[in-house]
mmCIF file of all heavy atoms in Angstrom:
data_model
loop_
_atom_site.group_PDB
_atom_site.id
_atom_site.type_symbol
_atom_site.label_atom_id
_atom_site.label_comp_id
_atom_site.label_asym_id
_atom_site.label_seq_id
_atom_site.Cartn_x
_atom_site.Cartn_y
_atom_site.Cartn_z
ATOM 1 N N ILE A 160 20.653 -18.633 86.434
ATOM 2 C CA ILE A 160 21.664 -17.579 86.389
ATOM 3 C C ILE A 160 23.030 -18.259 86.352
ATOM 4 O O ILE A 160 23.365 -19.054 87.230
ATOM 5 C CB ILE A 160 21.586 -16.647 87.621
ATOM 6 C CG1 ILE A 160 20.160 -16.080 87.793
ATOM 7 C CG2 ILE A 160 22.619 -15.528 87.500
ATOM 8 C CD1 ILE A 160 19.663 -15.256 86.638
ATOM 9 N N LEU A 161 23.797 -17.937 85.307
ATOM 10 C CA LEU A 161 25.141 -18.485 85.178
ATOM 11 C C LEU A 161 26.155 -17.456 85.683
ATOM 12 O O LEU A 161 26.025 -16.263 85.434
ATOM 13 C CB LEU A 161 25.454 -18.841 83.724
ATOM 14 C CG LEU A 161 24.468 -19.745 82.980
ATOM 15 C CD1 LEU A 161 25.100 -20.268 81.695
ATOM 16 C CD2 LEU A 161 23.946 -20.876 83.834
ATOM 17 N N HIS A 162 27.151 -17.955 86.373
ATOM 18 C CA HIS A 162 28.184 -17.071 86.929
ATOM 19 C C HIS A 162 29.484 -17.851 87.031
ATOM 20 O O HIS A 162 29.508 -19.082 86.918
ATOM 21 C CB HIS A 162 27.762 -16.542 88.303
ATOM 22 C CG HIS A 162 27.449 -17.632 89.295
ATOM 23 N ND1 HIS A 162 28.420 -18.177 90.109
ATOM 24 C CD2 HIS A 162 26.296 -18.288 89.573
ATOM 25 C CE1 HIS A 162 27.871 -19.115 90.866
ATOM 26 N NE2 HIS A 162 26.581 -19.216 90.561
ATOM 27 N N ALA A 163 30.563 -17.148 87.225
ATOM 28 C CA ALA A 163 31.878 -17.766 87.392
ATOM 29 C C ALA A 163 32.696 -16.879 88.322
ATOM 30 O O ALA A 163 32.441 -15.678 88.432
ATOM 31 C CB ALA A 163 32.571 -17.940 86.040
ATOM 32 N N PRO A 164 33.688 -17.450 89.000
ATOM 33 C CA PRO A 164 34.381 -16.707 90.063
ATOM 34 C C PRO A 164 35.198 -15.516 89.591
ATOM 35 O O PRO A 164 35.592 -14.688 90.417
ATOM 36 C CB PRO A 164 35.282 -17.774 90.705
ATOM 37 C CG PRO A 164 35.404 -18.862 89.692
ATOM 38 C CD PRO A 164 34.110 -18.860 88.949
ATOM 39 N N GLN A 165 35.418 -15.388 88.277
ATOM 40 C CA GLN A 165 36.167 -14.220 87.803
ATOM 41 C C GLN A 165 35.482 -12.906 88.194
ATOM 42 O O GLN A 165 36.134 -11.902 88.449
ATOM 43 C CB GLN A 165 36.331 -14.263 86.280
ATOM 44 C CG GLN A 165 37.213 -15.396 85.791
ATOM 45 C CD GLN A 165 36.416 -16.622 85.432
ATOM 46 O OE1 GLN A 165 35.465 -16.981 86.111
ATOM 47 N NE2 GLN A 165 36.800 -17.272 84.346
ATOM 48 N N GLU A 166 34.129 -12.887 88.220
ATOM 49 C CA GLU A 166 33.358 -11.715 88.665
ATOM 50 C C GLU A 166 31.916 -12.169 88.855
ATOM 51 O O GLU A 166 31.124 -12.164 87.918
ATOM 52 C CB GLU A 166 33.445 -10.568 87.657
ATOM 53 C CG GLU A 166 32.613 -9.341 88.034
ATOM 54 C CD GLU A 166 32.824 -8.883 89.466
ATOM 55 O OE1 GLU A 166 33.805 -8.176 89.728
ATOM 56 O OE2 GLU A 166 31.991 -9.250 90.323
ATOM 57 N N ASP A 167 31.605 -12.612 90.087
ATOM 58 C CA ASP A 167 30.286 -13.212 90.321
ATOM 59 C C ASP A 167 29.481 -12.504 91.403
ATOM 60 O O ASP A 167 28.472 -13.024 91.875
ATOM 61 C CB ASP A 167 30.429 -14.700 90.662
ATOM 62 C CG ASP A 167 31.261 -14.959 91.920
ATOM 63 O OD1 ASP A 167 31.683 -13.982 92.583
ATOM 64 O OD2 ASP A 167 31.492 -16.142 92.228
ATOM 65 N N ARG A 168 29.905 -11.313 91.798
ATOM 66 C CA ARG A 168 29.204 -10.635 92.894
ATOM 67 C C ARG A 168 27.754 -10.353 92.547
ATOM 68 O O ARG A 168 26.845 -10.638 93.345
ATOM 69 C CB ARG A 168 29.932 -9.333 93.254
ATOM 70 C CG ARG A 168 31.307 -9.528 93.882
ATOM 71 C CD ARG A 168 32.023 -8.199 94.060
ATOM 72 N NE ARG A 168 32.319 -7.577 92.772
ATOM 73 C CZ ARG A 168 32.714 -6.315 92.627
ATOM 74 N NH1 ARG A 168 32.823 -5.526 93.690
ATOM 75 N NH2 ARG A 168 32.984 -5.836 91.428
ATOM 76 N N GLY A 170 25.952 -11.684 90.006
ATOM 77 C CA GLY A 170 25.241 -12.913 89.658
ATOM 78 C C GLY A 170 24.758 -13.659 90.887
ATOM 79 O O GLY A 170 23.602 -14.106 90.944
ATOM 80 N N LYS A 171 25.595 -13.783 91.903
ATOM 81 C CA LYS A 171 25.197 -14.490 93.119
ATOM 82 C C LYS A 171 24.113 -13.726 93.875
ATOM 83 O O LYS A 171 23.184 -14.321 94.432
ATOM 84 C CB LYS A 171 26.417 -14.721 94.008
ATOM 85 C CG LYS A 171 27.321 -15.833 93.509
ATOM 86 C CD LYS A 171 28.430 -16.119 94.512
ATOM 87 C CE LYS A 171 29.217 -17.358 94.132
ATOM 88 N NZ LYS A 171 30.295 -17.654 95.110
ATOM 89 N N ASP A 187 21.072 -22.330 89.767
ATOM 90 C CA ASP A 187 22.364 -21.737 90.114
ATOM 91 C C ASP A 187 23.408 -22.456 89.261
ATOM 92 O O ASP A 187 23.763 -23.605 89.521
ATOM 93 C CB ASP A 187 22.627 -21.959 91.607
ATOM 94 C CG ASP A 187 23.929 -21.345 92.086
ATOM 95 O OD1 ASP A 187 24.804 -21.050 91.246
ATOM 96 O OD2 ASP A 187 24.089 -21.175 93.312
ATOM 97 N N ASN A 188 23.873 -21.777 88.202
ATOM 98 C CA ASN A 188 24.685 -22.421 87.177
ATOM 99 C C ASN A 188 23.975 -23.651 86.595
ATOM 100 O O ASN A 188 24.587 -24.682 86.348
ATOM 101 C CB ASN A 188 26.082 -22.777 87.695
ATOM 102 C CG ASN A 188 27.067 -21.640 87.511
ATOM 103 O OD1 ASN A 188 26.837 -20.719 86.724
ATOM 104 N ND2 ASN A 188 28.172 -21.685 88.237
ATOM 105 N N ALA A 192 26.790 -24.997 83.396
ATOM 106 C CA ALA A 192 27.697 -24.539 84.449
ATOM 107 C C ALA A 192 28.577 -23.399 83.943
ATOM 108 O O ALA A 192 29.266 -23.545 82.940
ATOM 109 C CB ALA A 192 28.572 -25.687 84.929
ATOM 110 N N GLY A 193 28.503 -22.271 84.649
ATOM 111 C CA GLY A 193 29.457 -21.178 84.454
ATOM 112 C C GLY A 193 29.622 -20.697 83.035
ATOM 113 O O GLY A 193 28.660 -20.574 82.286
ATOM 114 N N HIS A 194 30.856 -20.448 82.652
ATOM 115 C CA HIS A 194 31.182 -19.890 81.348
ATOM 116 C C HIS A 194 32.362 -20.630 80.739
ATOM 117 O O HIS A 194 33.071 -21.383 81.413
ATOM 118 C CB HIS A 194 31.514 -18.403 81.486
ATOM 119 C CG HIS A 194 30.360 -17.567 81.948
ATOM 120 N ND1 HIS A 194 29.351 -17.160 81.119
ATOM 121 C CD2 HIS A 194 30.054 -17.078 83.176
ATOM 122 C CE1 HIS A 194 28.483 -16.457 81.806
ATOM 123 N NE2 HIS A 194 28.878 -16.386 83.055
ATOM 124 N N LEU A 195 32.581 -20.383 79.459
ATOM 125 C CA LEU A 195 33.698 -20.978 78.731
ATOM 126 C C LEU A 195 34.749 -19.908 78.446
ATOM 127 O O LEU A 195 34.402 -18.750 78.195
ATOM 128 C CB LEU A 195 33.211 -21.567 77.403
ATOM 129 C CG LEU A 195 32.189 -22.700 77.495
ATOM 130 C CD1 LEU A 195 31.627 -23.000 76.107
ATOM 131 C CD2 LEU A 195 32.816 -23.937 78.100
ATOM 132 N N ASP A 198 34.250 -16.900 75.802
ATOM 133 C CA ASP A 198 32.853 -16.667 75.437
ATOM 134 C C ASP A 198 32.503 -15.195 75.620
ATOM 135 O O ASP A 198 33.342 -14.374 75.991
ATOM 136 C CB ASP A 198 31.905 -17.600 76.185
ATOM 137 C CG ASP A 198 31.780 -17.313 77.680
ATOM 138 O OD1 ASP A 198 32.272 -16.268 78.151
ATOM 139 O OD2 ASP A 198 31.182 -18.150 78.392
ATOM 140 N N VAL A 200 30.626 -13.363 77.702
ATOM 141 C CA VAL A 200 30.772 -12.736 79.015
ATOM 142 C C VAL A 200 32.244 -12.652 79.407
ATOM 143 O O VAL A 200 32.685 -11.664 80.007
ATOM 144 C CB VAL A 200 29.936 -13.487 80.070
ATOM 145 C CG1 VAL A 200 30.235 -12.975 81.473
ATOM 146 C CG2 VAL A 200 28.440 -13.324 79.767
ATOM 147 N N ASP A 201 33.003 -13.668 79.059
ATOM 148 C CA ASP A 201 34.441 -13.623 79.336
ATOM 149 C C ASP A 201 35.088 -12.436 78.633
ATOM 150 O O ASP A 201 35.835 -11.650 79.251
ATOM 151 C CB ASP A 201 35.086 -14.935 78.875
ATOM 152 C CG ASP A 201 36.561 -15.029 79.231
ATOM 153 O OD1 ASP A 201 36.963 -14.484 80.271
ATOM 154 O OD2 ASP A 201 37.312 -15.647 78.467
ATOM 155 N N PHE A 205 34.352 -10.390 82.236
ATOM 156 C CA PHE A 205 35.408 -10.896 83.103
ATOM 157 C C PHE A 205 36.742 -10.202 82.874
ATOM 158 O O PHE A 205 37.451 -9.864 83.828
ATOM 159 C CB PHE A 205 35.600 -12.399 82.895
ATOM 160 C CG PHE A 205 34.439 -13.247 83.342
ATOM 161 C CD1 PHE A 205 34.300 -14.539 82.876
ATOM 162 C CD2 PHE A 205 33.504 -12.768 84.239
ATOM 163 C CE1 PHE A 205 33.256 -15.325 83.285
ATOM 164 C CE2 PHE A 205 32.431 -13.551 84.654
ATOM 165 C CZ PHE A 205 32.318 -14.841 84.172
ATOM 166 N N ASN A 211 28.182 -8.513 86.068
ATOM 167 C CA ASN A 211 27.485 -9.230 85.009
ATOM 168 C C ASN A 211 26.587 -10.316 85.571
ATOM 169 O O ASN A 211 26.767 -10.764 86.711
ATOM 170 C CB ASN A 211 28.498 -9.876 84.053
ATOM 171 C CG ASN A 211 29.259 -11.003 84.726
ATOM 172 O OD1 ASN A 211 28.842 -12.161 84.719
ATOM 173 N ND2 ASN A 211 30.392 -10.664 85.361
ATOM 174 N N ALA A 212 25.649 -10.745 84.744
ATOM 175 C CA ALA A 212 24.890 -11.972 84.993
ATOM 176 C C ALA A 212 24.429 -12.505 83.652
ATOM 177 O O ALA A 212 24.046 -11.727 82.768
ATOM 178 C CB ALA A 212 23.690 -11.719 85.900
ATOM 179 N N LEU A 213 24.502 -13.806 83.491
ATOM 180 C CA LEU A 213 23.928 -14.452 82.315
ATOM 181 C C LEU A 213 22.611 -15.078 82.738
ATOM 182 O O LEU A 213 22.584 -15.946 83.620
ATOM 183 C CB LEU A 213 24.883 -15.504 81.737
ATOM 184 C CG LEU A 213 24.504 -16.048 80.354
ATOM 185 C CD1 LEU A 213 25.741 -16.553 79.604
ATOM 186 C CD2 LEU A 213 23.467 -17.163 80.422
#
Side-chain angles (χ1 to χ4, degrees):
I160 306 299
L161 307 194
H162 57 89
Q165 293 93 320
E166 177 49 82
D167 60 4
R168 292 173 295 167
K171 284 186 172 181
D187 182 342
N188 272 342
H194 296 281
L195 298 170
D198 70 10
V200 172
D201 185 32
F205 293 161
N211 68 89
L213 191 154

